[in-house]
Amino acid sequence: MTAQDSATPLVPIAVDADGRRPALPRGTALAALGVLSFSLTFPSTAWGLESFGPWSMVSLRLLIAALIAGVFLGRGRVPFPDRSHWGGFAVVILGVMIGFPVLTTLALGTATTSHAAVVVGLLPLTTAAFAALRTRRRPSRAFWAAALAGAAVVVVFTVEQSGGALSRADLYLFAALVLCAAGYTEGGRLSGLMPGWHVVGWALLLCAPLALVGAVLGLTLEPWHLSGHGVVGLLWVASASTFLGLYLWYRGMAAIGVAKASQLQLAQPLLTLVWSVLLLGEHLTPAAPIAAVGVLVCIVVTQRARS
């Protein structure tokens, strides 16, 4: 992993034109936009499942995203990745492009979006752990303390919201958590060696043949009917969550480090719960604002903690 991709000290803070007010570091802003895009993934997937079966949904999501990636790669005349990077791409494909979408979509067949958000609450801590093992570097104690506290806040809140009962959906979600954390770590590493959109684009394009076969089989074997919600949900997870969101996310990780960028995802479950209320009509308890404040405090601490 390059020095740029490791858990580095704070990125130098930019200033506005008057030279006085600090602006949000660019890497942090990019990673935050990626998180915002990801926060709509579960509600959009729930919408998509109104029209498509789970295997059709995942396959069409990957296929559409791969077509978008192919256009960008072709117009940019981006060369095929070097053989030395194939192992990293395999981890990204297995974890981020296939494992996480398949397992979370299967989970959402029986679980609510608020229940599924528990996996996102644990994802930052798991990603930081994978990054530490991959780079053999250890974030500071303050970093880990804030990360654990933030994860605890999110887990307690989301489990309380969902009733805390383990089910087959939970097994899908925890498996998705592990695979996605590994994929995020390798994607962040590769984004330190090449532009982030190259990583996302090639990973998606390499999935295209499998996605095409899956889409044909899914649409043949599963019932489907088009609706406004279903089409919008599919298009969002394909274009925004899968392509644009990952592009922003990997660029952010390359700029500020995998471990620190991953802590921004502590806000993702709470954002998902907000979208669940607005888009799906689910209900939040009064505990939501308290949890939101706790999470934001932990994010500030992890972003300021030196490695």
Side-chain angles (χ1 to χ4, degrees), residues 142-164:
F143 178 95
W144 282 115
L148 286 169
V153 170
V154 172
V155 169
V156 169
F157 177 70
T158 52
V159 169
E160 187 275 331
Q161 292 290 294
S162 61

PDB file of all heavy atoms in Angstrom, residues 142-164:
ATOM      1  N   ALA A 142      -6.391   6.230  20.609  1.00  0.00           N
ATOM      2  CA  ALA A 142      -7.533   7.154  20.562  1.00  0.00           C
ATOM      3  C   ALA A 142      -8.429   6.843  19.372  1.00  0.00           C
ATOM      4  O   ALA A 142      -9.655   6.895  19.465  1.00  0.00           O
ATOM      5  CB  ALA A 142      -7.037   8.597  20.495  1.00  0.00           C
ATOM      6  N   PHE A 143      -7.805   6.509  18.249  1.00  0.00           N
ATOM      7  CA  PHE A 143      -8.566   6.143  17.047  1.00  0.00           C
ATOM      8  C   PHE A 143      -9.443   4.927  17.322  1.00  0.00           C
ATOM      9  O   PHE A 143     -10.643   4.924  17.045  1.00  0.00           O
ATOM     10  CB  PHE A 143      -7.597   5.862  15.906  1.00  0.00           C
ATOM     11  CG  PHE A 143      -8.260   5.422  14.625  1.00  0.00           C
ATOM     12  CD1 PHE A 143      -8.565   6.341  13.641  1.00  0.00           C
ATOM     13  CD2 PHE A 143      -8.585   4.091  14.403  1.00  0.00           C
ATOM     14  CE1 PHE A 143      -9.173   5.938  12.458  1.00  0.00           C
ATOM     15  CE2 PHE A 143      -9.188   3.676  13.234  1.00  0.00           C
ATOM     16  CZ  PHE A 143      -9.486   4.611  12.256  1.00  0.00           C
ATOM     17  N   TRP A 144      -8.829   3.873  17.890  1.00  0.00           N
ATOM     18  CA  TRP A 144      -9.570   2.651  18.141  1.00  0.00           C
ATOM     19  C   TRP A 144     -10.661   2.864  19.187  1.00  0.00           C
ATOM     20  O   TRP A 144     -11.753   2.294  19.082  1.00  0.00           O
ATOM     21  CB  TRP A 144      -8.625   1.540  18.591  1.00  0.00           C
ATOM     22  CG  TRP A 144      -7.872   0.920  17.473  1.00  0.00           C
ATOM     23  CD1 TRP A 144      -6.522   0.958  17.271  1.00  0.00           C
ATOM     24  CD2 TRP A 144      -8.408   0.164  16.383  1.00  0.00           C
ATOM     25  NE1 TRP A 144      -6.186   0.272  16.120  1.00  0.00           N
ATOM     26  CE2 TRP A 144      -7.315  -0.227  15.560  1.00  0.00           C
ATOM     27  CE3 TRP A 144      -9.694  -0.222  16.018  1.00  0.00           C
ATOM     28  CZ2 TRP A 144      -7.493  -0.978  14.403  1.00  0.00           C
ATOM     29  CZ3 TRP A 144      -9.868  -0.972  14.863  1.00  0.00           C
ATOM     30  CH2 TRP A 144      -8.780  -1.342  14.075  1.00  0.00           C
ATOM     31  N   ALA A 145     -10.353   3.652  20.215  1.00  0.00           N
ATOM     32  CA  ALA A 145     -11.351   3.899  21.257  1.00  0.00           C
ATOM     33  C   ALA A 145     -12.575   4.596  20.679  1.00  0.00           C
ATOM     34  O   ALA A 145     -13.720   4.221  20.962  1.00  0.00           O
ATOM     35  CB  ALA A 145     -10.739   4.735  22.380  1.00  0.00           C
ATOM     36  N   ALA A 146     -12.342   5.625  19.838  1.00  0.00           N
ATOM     37  CA  ALA A 146     -13.456   6.343  19.224  1.00  0.00           C
ATOM     38  C   ALA A 146     -14.199   5.460  18.232  1.00  0.00           C
ATOM     39  O   ALA A 146     -15.433   5.501  18.140  1.00  0.00           O
ATOM     40  CB  ALA A 146     -12.945   7.603  18.536  1.00  0.00           C
ATOM     41  N   ALA A 147     -13.457   4.632  17.482  1.00  0.00           N
ATOM     42  CA  ALA A 147     -14.097   3.730  16.517  1.00  0.00           C
ATOM     43  C   ALA A 147     -14.989   2.715  17.216  1.00  0.00           C
ATOM     44  O   ALA A 147     -16.121   2.451  16.798  1.00  0.00           O
ATOM     45  CB  ALA A 147     -13.032   3.019  15.689  1.00  0.00           C
ATOM     46  N   LEU A 148     -14.471   2.131  18.307  1.00  0.00           N
ATOM     47  CA  LEU A 148     -15.260   1.158  19.062  1.00  0.00           C
ATOM     48  C   LEU A 148     -16.492   1.813  19.684  1.00  0.00           C
ATOM     49  O   LEU A 148     -17.577   1.229  19.702  1.00  0.00           O
ATOM     50  CB  LEU A 148     -14.397   0.517  20.142  1.00  0.00           C
ATOM     51  CG  LEU A 148     -13.361  -0.497  19.651  1.00  0.00           C
ATOM     52  CD1 LEU A 148     -12.390  -0.847  20.778  1.00  0.00           C
ATOM     53  CD2 LEU A 148     -14.049  -1.752  19.124  1.00  0.00           C
ATOM     54  N   ALA A 149     -16.314   3.033  20.205  1.00  0.00           N
ATOM     55  CA  ALA A 149     -17.451   3.734  20.798  1.00  0.00           C
ATOM     56  C   ALA A 149     -18.511   4.037  19.751  1.00  0.00           C
ATOM     57  O   ALA A 149     -19.715   3.845  19.986  1.00  0.00           O
ATOM     58  CB  ALA A 149     -16.975   5.025  21.462  1.00  0.00           C
ATOM     59  N   GLY A 150     -18.073   4.505  18.585  1.00  0.00           N
ATOM     60  CA  GLY A 150     -19.029   4.798  17.516  1.00  0.00           C
ATOM     61  C   GLY A 150     -19.739   3.557  17.033  1.00  0.00           C
ATOM     62  O   GLY A 150     -20.956   3.565  16.816  1.00  0.00           O
ATOM     63  N   ALA A 151     -18.983   2.454  16.876  1.00  0.00           N
ATOM     64  CA  ALA A 151     -19.607   1.203  16.460  1.00  0.00           C
ATOM     65  C   ALA A 151     -20.612   0.727  17.499  1.00  0.00           C
ATOM     66  O   ALA A 151     -21.692   0.223  17.158  1.00  0.00           O
ATOM     67  CB  ALA A 151     -18.533   0.135  16.228  1.00  0.00           C
ATOM     68  N   ALA A 152     -20.257   0.897  18.781  1.00  0.00           N
ATOM     69  CA  ALA A 152     -21.175   0.473  19.841  1.00  0.00           C
ATOM     70  C   ALA A 152     -22.468   1.277  19.808  1.00  0.00           C
ATOM     71  O   ALA A 152     -23.567   0.722  19.961  1.00  0.00           O
ATOM     72  CB  ALA A 152     -20.496   0.629  21.205  1.00  0.00           C
ATOM     73  N   VAL A 153     -22.359   2.588  19.587  1.00  0.00           N
ATOM     74  CA  VAL A 153     -23.550   3.430  19.503  1.00  0.00           C
ATOM     75  C   VAL A 153     -24.453   2.965  18.359  1.00  0.00           C
ATOM     76  O   VAL A 153     -25.671   2.809  18.522  1.00  0.00           O
ATOM     77  CB  VAL A 153     -23.161   4.908  19.303  1.00  0.00           C
ATOM     78  CG1 VAL A 153     -24.390   5.753  18.960  1.00  0.00           C
ATOM     79  CG2 VAL A 153     -22.496   5.456  20.567  1.00  0.00           C
ATOM     80  N   VAL A 154     -23.848   2.734  17.204  1.00  0.00           N
ATOM     81  CA  VAL A 154     -24.628   2.333  16.035  1.00  0.00           C
ATOM     82  C   VAL A 154     -25.248   0.955  16.236  1.00  0.00           C
ATOM     83  O   VAL A 154     -26.424   0.736  15.918  1.00  0.00           O
ATOM     84  CB  VAL A 154     -23.737   2.343  14.776  1.00  0.00           C
ATOM     85  CG1 VAL A 154     -24.491   1.743  13.587  1.00  0.00           C
ATOM     86  CG2 VAL A 154     -23.307   3.766  14.448  1.00  0.00           C
ATOM     87  N   VAL A 155     -24.480   0.010  16.783  1.00  0.00           N
ATOM     88  CA  VAL A 155     -24.999  -1.344  16.976  1.00  0.00           C
ATOM     89  C   VAL A 155     -26.165  -1.340  17.965  1.00  0.00           C
ATOM     90  O   VAL A 155     -27.216  -1.937  17.716  1.00  0.00           O
ATOM     91  CB  VAL A 155     -23.882  -2.285  17.461  1.00  0.00           C
ATOM     92  CG1 VAL A 155     -24.466  -3.616  17.930  1.00  0.00           C
ATOM     93  CG2 VAL A 155     -22.883  -2.521  16.347  1.00  0.00           C
ATOM     94  N   VAL A 156     -25.985  -0.669  19.097  1.00  0.00           N
ATOM     95  CA  VAL A 156     -27.054  -0.617  20.096  1.00  0.00           C
ATOM     96  C   VAL A 156     -28.311   0.011  19.501  1.00  0.00           C
ATOM     97  O   VAL A 156     -29.431  -0.498  19.681  1.00  0.00           O
ATOM     98  CB  VAL A 156     -26.599   0.166  21.338  1.00  0.00           C
ATOM     99  CG1 VAL A 156     -27.781   0.445  22.262  1.00  0.00           C
ATOM    100  CG2 VAL A 156     -25.528  -0.618  22.087  1.00  0.00           C
ATOM    101  N   PHE A 157     -28.135   1.095  18.778  1.00  0.00           N
ATOM    102  CA  PHE A 157     -29.289   1.786  18.213  1.00  0.00           C
ATOM    103  C   PHE A 157     -30.005   0.937  17.161  1.00  0.00           C
ATOM    104  O   PHE A 157     -31.220   0.755  17.217  1.00  0.00           O
ATOM    105  CB  PHE A 157     -28.840   3.110  17.603  1.00  0.00           C
ATOM    106  CG  PHE A 157     -29.952   3.862  16.928  1.00  0.00           C
ATOM    107  CD1 PHE A 157     -30.971   4.443  17.665  1.00  0.00           C
ATOM    108  CD2 PHE A 157     -29.984   3.985  15.544  1.00  0.00           C
ATOM    109  CE1 PHE A 157     -31.994   5.130  17.055  1.00  0.00           C
ATOM    110  CE2 PHE A 157     -31.008   4.671  14.915  1.00  0.00           C
ATOM    111  CZ  PHE A 157     -32.021   5.251  15.676  1.00  0.00           C
ATOM    112  N   THR A 158     -29.246   0.394  16.215  1.00  0.00           N
ATOM    113  CA  THR A 158     -29.884  -0.352  15.127  1.00  0.00           C
ATOM    114  C   THR A 158     -30.467  -1.673  15.611  1.00  0.00           C
ATOM    115  O   THR A 158     -31.538  -2.092  15.142  1.00  0.00           O
ATOM    116  CB  THR A 158     -28.887  -0.613  13.982  1.00  0.00           C
ATOM    117  OG1 THR A 158     -27.700  -1.202  14.520  1.00  0.00           O
ATOM    118  CG2 THR A 158     -28.549   0.671  13.264  1.00  0.00           C
ATOM    119  N   VAL A 159     -29.776  -2.350  16.553  1.00  0.00           N
ATOM    120  CA  VAL A 159     -30.319  -3.599  17.079  1.00  0.00           C
ATOM    121  C   VAL A 159     -31.590  -3.328  17.880  1.00  0.00           C
ATOM    122  O   VAL A 159     -32.572  -4.075  17.795  1.00  0.00           O
ATOM    123  CB  VAL A 159     -29.268  -4.325  17.946  1.00  0.00           C
ATOM    124  CG1 VAL A 159     -29.907  -5.475  18.714  1.00  0.00           C
ATOM    125  CG2 VAL A 159     -28.140  -4.845  17.068  1.00  0.00           C
ATOM    126  N   GLU A 160     -31.605  -2.227  18.637  1.00  0.00           N
ATOM    127  CA  GLU A 160     -32.815  -1.862  19.382  1.00  0.00           C
ATOM    128  C   GLU A 160     -33.965  -1.581  18.427  1.00  0.00           C
ATOM    129  O   GLU A 160     -35.112  -1.959  18.675  1.00  0.00           O
ATOM    130  CB  GLU A 160     -32.526  -0.642  20.255  1.00  0.00           C
ATOM    131  CG  GLU A 160     -33.647  -0.243  21.209  1.00  0.00           C
ATOM    132  CD  GLU A 160     -34.695   0.652  20.549  1.00  0.00           C
ATOM    133  OE1 GLU A 160     -34.316   1.388  19.611  1.00  0.00           O
ATOM    134  OE2 GLU A 160     -35.867   0.609  20.958  1.00  0.00           O
ATOM    135  N   GLN A 161     -33.655  -0.939  17.310  1.00  0.00           N
ATOM    136  CA  GLN A 161     -34.688  -0.633  16.331  1.00  0.00           C
ATOM    137  C   GLN A 161     -35.268  -1.901  15.701  1.00  0.00           C
ATOM    138  O   GLN A 161     -36.450  -1.947  15.377  1.00  0.00           O
ATOM    139  CB  GLN A 161     -34.113   0.264  15.216  1.00  0.00           C
ATOM    140  CG  GLN A 161     -33.733   1.664  15.660  1.00  0.00           C
ATOM    141  CD  GLN A 161     -34.962   2.494  15.984  1.00  0.00           C
ATOM    142  OE1 GLN A 161     -35.762   2.800  15.121  1.00  0.00           O
ATOM    143  NE2 GLN A 161     -35.100   2.847  17.246  1.00  0.00           N
ATOM    144  N   SER A 162     -34.418  -2.904  15.521  1.00  0.00           N
ATOM    145  CA  SER A 162     -34.868  -4.103  14.814  1.00  0.00           C
ATOM    146  C   SER A 162     -35.302  -5.227  15.737  1.00  0.00           C
ATOM    147  O   SER A 162     -35.683  -6.297  15.265  1.00  0.00           O
ATOM    148  CB  SER A 162     -33.741  -4.604  13.900  1.00  0.00           C
ATOM    149  OG  SER A 162     -32.615  -4.936  14.673  1.00  0.00           O
ATOM    150  N   GLY A 163     -35.235  -5.019  17.037  1.00  0.00           N
ATOM    151  CA  GLY A 163     -35.680  -6.036  17.972  1.00  0.00           C
ATOM    152  C   GLY A 163     -34.584  -6.953  18.475  1.00  0.00           C
ATOM    153  O   GLY A 163     -34.776  -7.691  19.433  1.00  0.00           O
ATOM    154  N   GLY A 164     -33.428  -6.969  17.815  1.00  0.00           N
ATOM    155  CA  GLY A 164     -32.267  -7.722  18.300  1.00  0.00           C
ATOM    156  C   GLY A 164     -32.301  -9.218  18.068  1.00  0.00           C
ATOM    157  O   GLY A 164     -31.419  -9.930  18.552  1.00  0.00           O
TER     158      GLY A 164
END
